């Protein structure tokens, strides 16, 4: 698993005093940077090799301002050209949100998916969760 700890910002709260539901998807995307680097090590957008096909977020408990959030990132499925990134947001030892992003290894010039290399699959397997 890949871990990252973040501090929620005051501006990320909503009218009810919780972290706004739109923020968690942004946190999850930011925590996928190590995954992006498996395909584009320098994160150069002119050489980008991924597309996002689908994303879901499920909320289990409220997230609050004032306490760190630990983001956990796993690989939960590996296909020929696509894979699933499963993520969780934990605050004060409680899983507050989880989600899955379906990513596709993609050639933006030909507009076609590409097979994931064995080296990249090896990196993914080190972070696999059943």
């Amino acid at each position: 698993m890949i871990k990252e700890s973040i501090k929620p910002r005051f501006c990320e709260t909503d009218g009810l005093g919780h972290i706004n539901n739109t923020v968690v998807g942004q946190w999850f995307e930011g925590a996928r940077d190590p995954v992006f680097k498996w395909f584009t090590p320098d994160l150069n957008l002119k050489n980008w090799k991924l597309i996002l096909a689908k994303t879901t977020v499920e909320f289990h408990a409220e997230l609050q301002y004032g306490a760190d959030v630990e983001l956990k990132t796993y690989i939960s499925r590996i296909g020929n050209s696509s894979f699933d990134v499963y993520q969780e947001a934990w605050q004060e030892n409680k899983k507050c949100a989880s989600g899955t992003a379906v990513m596709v290894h993609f050639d933006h010039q030909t507009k076609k998916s590409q097979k994931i290399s064995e080296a990249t699959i090896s990196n993914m397997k080190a972070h696999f969760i059943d």
Side-chain angles (χ1 to χ4, degrees):
M1 137 188 43
I2 301 164
K3 288 184 184 181
E4 178 180 343
S5 183
I6 60 170
K7 292 184 180 303
R9 299 176 304 169
F10 179 77
C11 67
E12 295 171 324
T13 60
D14 61 21
L16 298 173
H18 307 128
I19 298 301
N20 187 281
N21 60 356
T22 62
V23 172
V24 175
Q26 294 174 31
W27 287 350
F28 283 169
E29 181 184 47
R32 289 194 295 269
D33 275 358
V35 174
F36 298 158
K37 286 181 179 182
W38 295 336
F39 294 88
T40 310
D42 63 358
L43 299 178
N44 182 340
L45 295 179
K46 293 181 181 187
N47 195 28
W48 204 253
K49 294 180 174 61
L50 292 170
I51 58 172
L52 177 67
K54 178 181 177 181
T55 186
T56 60
V57 177
E58 204 172 317
F59 298 95
H60 309 285
E62 295 108 353
L63 288 154
Q64 306 289 332
Y65 172 73
D68 287 357
V69 174
E70 184 174 53
L71 302 175
K72 299 178 181 182
T73 301
Y74 307 86
I75 301 301
S76 59
R77 182 189 64 82
I78 304 170
N80 289 324
S81 61
S82 66
F83 60 100
D84 293 355
V85 180
Y86 172 74
Q87 295 176 284
E88 297 174 341
W90 288 75
Q91 190 174 53
E92 297 182 334
N93 298 314
K94 181 188 257 185
K95 182 169 73 170
C96 298
S98 62
T100 301
V102 179
M103 306 295 301
V104 180
H105 185 215
F106 193 77
D107 182 323
H108 289 277
Q109 291 190 353
T110 64
K111 303 296 183 197
K112 293 183 181 180
S113 61
Q114 294 185 315
K115 185 172 174 32
I116 301 169
S117 73
E118 290 302 318
T120 301
I121 289 173
S122 179
N123 286 332
M124 291 178 168
K125 286 181 177 177
H127 302 284
F128 199 80
I129 186 173
D130 289 323

